Amino acid sequence: MAKYRREQKKNFLKKIVGLFPFIIFCLAFEFVPIFILVRDSFSLKSGDLTLQHYQSAFEPTYLKGFWNSIKLSGVTALIGTFLGAGIGYQIFKWPNKKIQSTLITLSDVTTNFAGAPLAFGFIIILGSAGVVTKFLLNTFHWKIYPDFSIYSFTGLILTYVYFQLPLMVLLIIPAFSGLRQDWREAAQNLGANKMEYWRNVGIPILMPSMIAGYMLLFANAFGAYATAFTLTGLRLPLITMQIGSAISGEVMREQGHGQALAVISLLIMGACIAIYQMGTNKARKWSGH
Amino acid sequence: MKTPTKGPVFLRFLIVSLFVFYMLLPIVATYLFSLATRWDRSIMPEGYTWEAYQTAFNLSYFRITLKNSLILSIASCLVSFIIIVPTVYLTQINFRKFRPLLDLLMIIPFAIPTVVLALSYVRVYTFQPITRSPFLLIMATVVYTMPFMYRSVSNSVDAVDISVLTEASQSLGGDLWNTLTKVIMPNIYPGILSGMLLVFATVFADFTLAKLITGAHFKTFPMLLVEQTQIDGNVAAALSVISFTLAWGISMVLLWFSSKASKSKKAQPSDKAYIGK
């Protein structure tokens, strides 16, 4: 018996050894750094516990950064979710399958046009010396600057919506295919009109996918850095810019406030991804794939 | 069946056309701008030239950054492969109960903003020779791309009967190494390959991690691009075109791949979130 148990133990060891590279990797490059980040956000150089870093995270400068980031993510995710769902529905309903799949391919490929190239693409079109800007000025004598500026919050919205839309289209099309034809027929047989079908069947079924989509889009925008960095530099404070500045030491202060900002951002993103995950699980259960 | 009325058809056409226009506008503008001689007086460029590309190729940093980005992307693919493929296989064979835990572990990087990941690395690994090294950057990009490498591999693993294959291999005397390399991998290679291509494209386009972790010590292609947006617009456009064309090519290969694979193997759209943003 003892021998058997030893044998089993040896077997278990042999089995678990293969997982060591992964476990060590995750500890070293994911959990330990994040754990130390959280610890540092609560401690002074001397090692004493403190909430001081969180107090400084709520100074007006950083509150502004958080507010800008949340506003930008919230607005572009909202536009992205509803417009994306609408466009996705039109693509889903497109009668010609070949065009339909071309449109889906277009959405898929354009998700790669992000970050610096995307920001610069919009500068070419609508920058202060942009093609459309100059064209409007020369042809119609319409000076869009300084009322409009691509280097502003509005410009960021226009640019962020660019990468939100195709993502939502890709997310929502499977949800539309999950709406089964027999449900619609069942509803019609029970006397439901189109409105009633959507209100009582269609929208409740799509809801988890819509919420999941919104959350993913929010997280997508909230964590973005390269696009805004290229477009507005450090002029328009977003929280990711401020954390970036804390790394390069452009802001010299007691270490720790950057970590506090990072922990708060981590919580926001974590909540979004958790809700996203619950939404997709629910959607998958309902649509049965 | 009711025949569709003209109104909705027109509306559908309008909505989709506007969408296509919006999606293509910055891309087309970038391609044209990279080739334009002068483009500020008319709606189309006045002439075309390869000059911007020649200037780009002759930049002192062009070769270095391209080389750095290629090394970085390839290294990340390999590390990702080594860490994830055996783990998914071994968990499936020996610890099937823990697959949901593995799913959870692998999604966590989605919740970490890249700037936060960079900050934690820079603050923890402060000692030589690791601090701010390309090695640290590779590890960061592997963590950052882990969710979609994992999903791609695990979908493939779920699509074939791994335990039957393993038993068959073992009954023929195959050890773990032989089973994994000669039996399992040939069966799940579409997932592995598409995961690695996605990792490659993502890492190649990454600006944030490289800028914040290594900075000027190890300049990557996107860093050169951002720098050029401040110096020479046409050159920046040419670099954008090079980078996007590469990503576009990889995307097409991936789509072709997933059209060959069964439905269950298709990558989730969420894998596309965060790329290069």
Side-chain angles (χ1 to χ4, degrees), chain A residues 211-246:
Chain A
I211 293 173
Y214 182 83
M215 286 301 159
L216 189 72
L217 262 49
F218 190 97
N220 192 24
F222 192 84
Y225 177 88
T227 314
F229 183 87
T230 315
L231 204 56
T232 60
L234 301 171
R235 275 166 296 178
L236 204 147
L238 296 177
I239 194 62
T240 44
M241 300 287 145
Q242 290 171 330
I243 296 171
S245 301

mmCIF file of all heavy atoms in Angstrom, chain A residues 211-246:
data_model
loop_
_atom_site.group_PDB
_atom_site.id
_atom_site.type_symbol
_atom_site.label_atom_id
_atom_site.label_comp_id
_atom_site.label_asym_id
_atom_site.label_seq_id
_atom_site.Cartn_x
_atom_site.Cartn_y
_atom_site.Cartn_z
ATOM 1 N N ILE A 211 -24.301 43.943 -23.859
ATOM 2 C CA ILE A 211 -23.598 44.388 -22.651
ATOM 3 C C ILE A 211 -22.136 43.950 -22.709
ATOM 4 O O ILE A 211 -21.224 44.737 -22.435
ATOM 5 C CB ILE A 211 -24.305 43.837 -21.388
ATOM 6 C CG1 ILE A 211 -25.689 44.493 -21.254
ATOM 7 C CG2 ILE A 211 -23.474 44.107 -20.136
ATOM 8 C CD1 ILE A 211 -26.551 43.917 -20.158
ATOM 9 N N ALA A 212 -21.923 42.700 -23.113
ATOM 10 C CA ALA A 212 -20.548 42.208 -23.242
ATOM 11 C C ALA A 212 -19.776 43.069 -24.237
ATOM 12 O O ALA A 212 -18.632 43.458 -23.989
ATOM 13 C CB ALA A 212 -20.553 40.749 -23.692
ATOM 14 N N GLY A 213 -20.416 43.395 -25.354
ATOM 15 C CA GLY A 213 -19.773 44.221 -26.371
ATOM 16 C C GLY A 213 -19.396 45.585 -25.811
ATOM 17 O O GLY A 213 -18.267 46.051 -25.987
ATOM 18 N N TYR A 214 -20.344 46.203 -25.099
ATOM 19 C CA TYR A 214 -20.069 47.515 -24.530
ATOM 20 C C TYR A 214 -18.865 47.454 -23.594
ATOM 21 O O TYR A 214 -17.973 48.297 -23.647
ATOM 22 C CB TYR A 214 -21.301 48.038 -23.771
ATOM 23 C CG TYR A 214 -21.076 49.413 -23.196
ATOM 24 C CD1 TYR A 214 -21.250 50.541 -23.993
ATOM 25 C CD2 TYR A 214 -20.641 49.588 -21.890
ATOM 26 C CE1 TYR A 214 -21.013 51.805 -23.490
ATOM 27 C CE2 TYR A 214 -20.391 50.847 -21.379
ATOM 28 C CZ TYR A 214 -20.579 51.956 -22.184
ATOM 29 O OH TYR A 214 -20.321 53.208 -21.691
ATOM 30 N N MET A 215 -18.822 46.422 -22.760
ATOM 31 C CA MET A 215 -17.743 46.307 -21.784
ATOM 32 C C MET A 215 -16.388 46.101 -22.467
ATOM 33 O O MET A 215 -15.382 46.681 -22.070
ATOM 34 C CB MET A 215 -18.023 45.134 -20.833
ATOM 35 C CG MET A 215 -19.104 45.449 -19.851
ATOM 36 S SD MET A 215 -18.624 46.903 -18.873
ATOM 37 C CE MET A 215 -20.191 47.452 -18.274
ATOM 38 N N LEU A 216 -16.390 45.251 -23.498
ATOM 39 C CA LEU A 216 -15.124 45.018 -24.195
ATOM 40 C C LEU A 216 -14.655 46.297 -24.890
ATOM 41 O O LEU A 216 -13.471 46.632 -24.878
ATOM 42 C CB LEU A 216 -15.271 43.881 -25.210
ATOM 43 C CG LEU A 216 -13.930 43.446 -25.807
ATOM 44 C CD1 LEU A 216 -13.102 42.694 -24.780
ATOM 45 C CD2 LEU A 216 -14.107 42.580 -27.031
ATOM 46 N N LEU A 217 -15.586 47.007 -25.482
ATOM 47 C CA LEU A 217 -15.242 48.261 -26.158
ATOM 48 C C LEU A 217 -14.724 49.297 -25.156
ATOM 49 O O LEU A 217 -13.768 50.019 -25.432
ATOM 50 C CB LEU A 217 -16.463 48.807 -26.906
ATOM 51 C CG LEU A 217 -16.559 48.506 -28.402
ATOM 52 C CD1 LEU A 217 -16.318 47.043 -28.701
ATOM 53 C CD2 LEU A 217 -17.883 48.946 -28.968
ATOM 54 N N PHE A 218 -15.381 49.337 -24.009
ATOM 55 C CA PHE A 218 -14.942 50.272 -22.964
ATOM 56 C C PHE A 218 -13.502 49.963 -22.555
ATOM 57 O O PHE A 218 -12.634 50.847 -22.533
ATOM 58 C CB PHE A 218 -15.882 50.177 -21.746
ATOM 59 C CG PHE A 218 -15.652 51.251 -20.718
ATOM 60 C CD1 PHE A 218 -16.439 52.391 -20.705
ATOM 61 C CD2 PHE A 218 -14.645 51.128 -19.779
ATOM 62 C CE1 PHE A 218 -16.230 53.393 -19.768
ATOM 63 C CE2 PHE A 218 -14.421 52.124 -18.832
ATOM 64 C CZ PHE A 218 -15.218 53.264 -18.830
ATOM 65 N N ALA A 219 -13.248 48.676 -22.271
ATOM 66 C CA ALA A 219 -11.902 48.271 -21.856
ATOM 67 C C ALA A 219 -10.886 48.547 -22.961
ATOM 68 O O ALA A 219 -9.772 49.018 -22.714
ATOM 69 C CB ALA A 219 -11.890 46.785 -21.497
ATOM 70 N N ASN A 220 -11.313 48.284 -24.195
ATOM 71 C CA ASN A 220 -10.479 48.488 -25.363
ATOM 72 C C ASN A 220 -9.999 49.947 -25.451
ATOM 73 O O ASN A 220 -8.822 50.219 -25.695
ATOM 74 C CB ASN A 220 -11.331 48.127 -26.590
ATOM 75 C CG ASN A 220 -10.548 48.002 -27.848
ATOM 76 O OD1 ASN A 220 -9.351 47.742 -27.806
ATOM 77 N ND2 ASN A 220 -11.208 48.161 -28.979
ATOM 78 N N ALA A 221 -10.927 50.865 -25.203
ATOM 79 C CA ALA A 221 -10.580 52.285 -25.275
ATOM 80 C C ALA A 221 -9.835 52.732 -24.022
ATOM 81 O O ALA A 221 -8.898 53.527 -24.087
ATOM 82 C CB ALA A 221 -11.845 53.128 -25.459
ATOM 83 N N PHE A 222 -10.248 52.212 -22.879
ATOM 84 C CA PHE A 222 -9.659 52.647 -21.615
ATOM 85 C C PHE A 222 -8.165 52.329 -21.554
ATOM 86 O O PHE A 222 -7.368 53.116 -21.067
ATOM 87 C CB PHE A 222 -10.393 51.987 -20.438
ATOM 88 C CG PHE A 222 -10.049 52.578 -19.104
ATOM 89 C CD1 PHE A 222 -10.698 53.714 -18.654
ATOM 90 C CD2 PHE A 222 -9.070 52.011 -18.301
ATOM 91 C CE1 PHE A 222 -10.377 54.281 -17.433
ATOM 92 C CE2 PHE A 222 -8.737 52.568 -17.081
ATOM 93 C CZ PHE A 222 -9.395 53.707 -16.642
ATOM 94 N N GLY A 223 -7.789 51.164 -22.060
ATOM 95 C CA GLY A 223 -6.392 50.746 -21.988
ATOM 96 C C GLY A 223 -5.540 51.289 -23.125
ATOM 97 O O GLY A 223 -4.323 51.122 -23.121
ATOM 98 N N ALA A 224 -6.162 51.928 -24.126
ATOM 99 C CA ALA A 224 -5.412 52.379 -25.301
ATOM 100 C C ALA A 224 -4.400 53.462 -24.934
ATOM 101 O O ALA A 224 -4.636 54.261 -24.031
ATOM 102 C CB ALA A 224 -6.374 52.895 -26.363
ATOM 103 N N TYR A 225 -3.276 53.454 -25.628
ATOM 104 C CA TYR A 225 -2.214 54.418 -25.332
ATOM 105 C C TYR A 225 -1.636 55.002 -26.619
ATOM 106 O O TYR A 225 -1.572 56.222 -26.780
ATOM 107 C CB TYR A 225 -1.130 53.710 -24.515
ATOM 108 C CG TYR A 225 0.089 54.545 -24.185
ATOM 109 C CD1 TYR A 225 0.120 55.338 -23.042
ATOM 110 C CD2 TYR A 225 1.211 54.531 -25.005
ATOM 111 C CE1 TYR A 225 1.238 56.086 -22.729
ATOM 112 C CE2 TYR A 225 2.328 55.280 -24.705
ATOM 113 C CZ TYR A 225 2.344 56.061 -23.561
ATOM 114 O OH TYR A 225 3.442 56.807 -23.259
ATOM 115 N N ALA A 226 -1.247 54.109 -27.548
ATOM 116 C CA ALA A 226 -0.503 54.547 -28.728
ATOM 117 C C ALA A 226 -1.286 55.547 -29.583
ATOM 118 O O ALA A 226 -0.726 56.529 -30.073
ATOM 119 C CB ALA A 226 -0.103 53.335 -29.577
ATOM 120 N N THR A 227 -2.584 55.308 -29.765
ATOM 121 C CA THR A 227 -3.398 56.172 -30.614
ATOM 122 C C THR A 227 -3.402 57.600 -30.068
ATOM 123 O O THR A 227 -3.119 58.555 -30.792
ATOM 124 C CB THR A 227 -4.847 55.651 -30.664
ATOM 125 O OG1 THR A 227 -4.822 54.241 -30.877
ATOM 126 C CG2 THR A 227 -5.631 56.315 -31.760
ATOM 127 N N ALA A 228 -3.730 57.716 -28.782
ATOM 128 C CA ALA A 228 -3.808 59.044 -28.181
ATOM 129 C C ALA A 228 -2.425 59.686 -28.089
ATOM 130 O O ALA A 228 -2.286 60.889 -28.279
ATOM 131 C CB ALA A 228 -4.440 58.949 -26.795
ATOM 132 N N PHE A 229 -1.402 58.858 -27.839
ATOM 133 C CA PHE A 229 -0.041 59.399 -27.742
ATOM 134 C C PHE A 229 0.372 60.053 -29.054
ATOM 135 O O PHE A 229 0.958 61.139 -29.067
ATOM 136 C CB PHE A 229 0.931 58.268 -27.381
ATOM 137 C CG PHE A 229 2.345 58.729 -27.182
ATOM 138 C CD1 PHE A 229 2.773 59.179 -25.944
ATOM 139 C CD2 PHE A 229 3.245 58.705 -28.238
ATOM 140 C CE1 PHE A 229 4.071 59.609 -25.757
ATOM 141 C CE2 PHE A 229 4.557 59.134 -28.063
ATOM 142 C CZ PHE A 229 4.969 59.590 -26.819
ATOM 143 N N THR A 230 0.063 59.397 -30.170
ATOM 144 C CA THR A 230 0.430 59.954 -31.471
ATOM 145 C C THR A 230 -0.406 61.182 -31.798
ATOM 146 O O THR A 230 0.097 62.149 -32.369
ATOM 147 C CB THR A 230 0.218 58.898 -32.584
ATOM 148 O OG1 THR A 230 0.752 57.664 -32.145
ATOM 149 C CG2 THR A 230 0.897 59.323 -33.871
ATOM 150 N N LEU A 231 -1.667 61.145 -31.438
ATOM 151 C CA LEU A 231 -2.571 62.210 -31.850
ATOM 152 C C LEU A 231 -2.419 63.467 -30.985
ATOM 153 O O LEU A 231 -2.280 64.570 -31.504
ATOM 154 C CB LEU A 231 -4.019 61.697 -31.768
ATOM 155 C CG LEU A 231 -5.043 62.395 -32.639
ATOM 156 C CD1 LEU A 231 -4.627 62.353 -34.094
ATOM 157 C CD2 LEU A 231 -6.400 61.743 -32.470
ATOM 158 N N THR A 232 -2.460 63.294 -29.692
ATOM 159 C CA THR A 232 -2.478 64.478 -28.834
ATOM 160 C C THR A 232 -1.219 64.640 -27.999
ATOM 161 O O THR A 232 -1.073 65.633 -27.294
ATOM 162 C CB THR A 232 -3.686 64.424 -27.860
ATOM 163 O OG1 THR A 232 -3.553 63.258 -27.049
ATOM 164 C CG2 THR A 232 -4.987 64.358 -28.603
ATOM 165 N N GLY A 233 -0.298 63.669 -28.073
ATOM 166 C CA GLY A 233 0.886 63.747 -27.237
ATOM 167 C C GLY A 233 0.454 63.732 -25.784
ATOM 168 O O GLY A 233 -0.471 63.020 -25.420
ATOM 169 N N LEU A 234 1.115 64.556 -24.981
ATOM 170 C CA LEU A 234 0.742 64.568 -23.567
ATOM 171 C C LEU A 234 -0.155 65.761 -23.239
ATOM 172 O O LEU A 234 -0.412 66.073 -22.099
ATOM 173 C CB LEU A 234 2.000 64.583 -22.695
ATOM 174 C CG LEU A 234 2.939 63.391 -22.923
ATOM 175 C CD1 LEU A 234 4.253 63.584 -22.189
ATOM 176 C CD2 LEU A 234 2.286 62.087 -22.506
ATOM 177 N N ARG A 235 -0.632 66.437 -24.318
ATOM 178 C CA ARG A 235 -1.412 67.655 -24.088
ATOM 179 C C ARG A 235 -2.763 67.369 -23.454
ATOM 180 O O ARG A 235 -3.267 68.143 -22.664
ATOM 181 C CB ARG A 235 -1.643 68.390 -25.422
ATOM 182 C CG ARG A 235 -0.489 69.290 -25.796
ATOM 183 C CD ARG A 235 -0.607 69.696 -27.251
ATOM 184 N NE ARG A 235 -0.489 68.532 -28.126
ATOM 185 C CZ ARG A 235 -0.585 68.588 -29.442
ATOM 186 N NH1 ARG A 235 -0.853 69.716 -30.039
ATOM 187 N NH2 ARG A 235 -0.440 67.505 -30.172
ATOM 188 N N LEU A 236 -3.360 66.240 -23.899
ATOM 189 C CA LEU A 236 -4.675 65.925 -23.367
ATOM 190 C C LEU A 236 -4.514 64.787 -22.373
ATOM 191 O O LEU A 236 -4.225 63.661 -22.765
ATOM 192 C CB LEU A 236 -5.597 65.506 -24.517
ATOM 193 C CG LEU A 236 -7.086 65.691 -24.276
ATOM 194 C CD1 LEU A 236 -7.769 66.031 -25.580
ATOM 195 C CD2 LEU A 236 -7.712 64.476 -23.648
ATOM 196 N N PRO A 237 -4.653 65.076 -21.067
ATOM 197 C CA PRO A 237 -4.335 64.041 -20.084
ATOM 198 C C PRO A 237 -5.363 62.911 -20.044
ATOM 199 O O PRO A 237 -6.524 63.136 -19.765
ATOM 200 C CB PRO A 237 -4.311 64.802 -18.755
ATOM 201 C CG PRO A 237 -5.147 65.994 -18.987
ATOM 202 C CD PRO A 237 -5.064 66.334 -20.439
ATOM 203 N N LEU A 238 -4.902 61.708 -20.401
ATOM 204 C CA LEU A 238 -5.685 60.491 -20.180
ATOM 205 C C LEU A 238 -4.934 59.730 -19.094
ATOM 206 O O LEU A 238 -3.726 59.915 -18.932
ATOM 207 C CB LEU A 238 -5.744 59.627 -21.441
ATOM 208 C CG LEU A 238 -6.448 60.200 -22.659
ATOM 209 C CD1 LEU A 238 -6.343 59.214 -23.830
ATOM 210 C CD2 LEU A 238 -7.906 60.469 -22.353
ATOM 211 N N ILE A 239 -5.623 58.845 -18.395
ATOM 212 C CA ILE A 239 -4.962 58.182 -17.279
ATOM 213 C C ILE A 239 -3.797 57.299 -17.757
ATOM 214 O O ILE A 239 -2.761 57.216 -17.094
ATOM 215 C CB ILE A 239 -5.977 57.394 -16.410
ATOM 216 C CG1 ILE A 239 -5.331 57.016 -15.076
ATOM 217 C CG2 ILE A 239 -6.514 56.153 -17.082
ATOM 218 C CD1 ILE A 239 -4.909 58.196 -14.243
ATOM 219 N N THR A 240 -3.939 56.692 -18.947
ATOM 220 C CA THR A 240 -2.832 55.868 -19.441
ATOM 221 C C THR A 240 -1.593 56.713 -19.736
ATOM 222 O O THR A 240 -0.472 56.276 -19.519
ATOM 223 C CB THR A 240 -3.244 55.083 -20.705
ATOM 224 O OG1 THR A 240 -3.961 55.952 -21.571
ATOM 225 C CG2 THR A 240 -4.117 53.902 -20.353
ATOM 226 N N MET A 241 -1.825 57.951 -20.200
ATOM 227 C CA MET A 241 -0.695 58.861 -20.444
ATOM 228 C C MET A 241 0.012 59.184 -19.128
ATOM 229 O O MET A 241 1.231 59.251 -19.046
ATOM 230 C CB MET A 241 -1.187 60.201 -21.009
ATOM 231 C CG MET A 241 -1.918 60.112 -22.285
ATOM 232 S SD MET A 241 -0.757 59.763 -23.570
ATOM 233 C CE MET A 241 -1.783 58.749 -24.551
ATOM 234 N N GLN A 242 -0.808 59.412 -18.092
ATOM 235 C CA GLN A 242 -0.239 59.805 -16.800
ATOM 236 C C GLN A 242 0.556 58.659 -16.181
ATOM 237 O O GLN A 242 1.612 58.883 -15.590
ATOM 238 C CB GLN A 242 -1.354 60.296 -15.871
ATOM 239 C CG GLN A 242 -1.919 61.631 -16.345
ATOM 240 C CD GLN A 242 -3.152 62.054 -15.595
ATOM 241 O OE1 GLN A 242 -3.923 61.225 -15.131
ATOM 242 N NE2 GLN A 242 -3.364 63.357 -15.489
ATOM 243 N N ILE A 243 0.055 57.430 -16.345
ATOM 244 C CA ILE A 243 0.815 56.287 -15.835
ATOM 245 C C ILE A 243 2.114 56.141 -16.634
ATOM 246 O O ILE A 243 3.179 55.893 -16.080
ATOM 247 C CB ILE A 243 -0.029 54.994 -15.891
ATOM 248 C CG1 ILE A 243 -1.243 55.110 -14.971
ATOM 249 C CG2 ILE A 243 0.804 53.779 -15.482
ATOM 250 C CD1 ILE A 243 -2.248 53.983 -15.109
ATOM 251 N N GLY A 244 1.997 56.351 -17.957
ATOM 252 C CA GLY A 244 3.190 56.302 -18.804
ATOM 253 C C GLY A 244 4.233 57.322 -18.357
ATOM 254 O O GLY A 244 5.428 57.020 -18.296
ATOM 255 N N SER A 245 3.777 58.527 -18.022
ATOM 256 C CA SER A 245 4.707 59.560 -17.548
ATOM 257 C C SER A 245 5.353 59.155 -16.239
ATOM 258 O O SER A 245 6.517 59.452 -15.988
ATOM 259 C CB SER A 245 3.980 60.881 -17.341
ATOM 260 O OG SER A 245 3.385 61.295 -18.529
ATOM 261 N N ALA A 246 4.597 58.470 -15.383
ATOM 262 C CA ALA A 246 5.159 58.018 -14.107
ATOM 263 C C ALA A 246 6.308 57.032 -14.353
ATOM 264 O O ALA A 246 7.279 57.010 -13.605
ATOM 265 C CB ALA A 246 4.080 57.376 -13.246
#
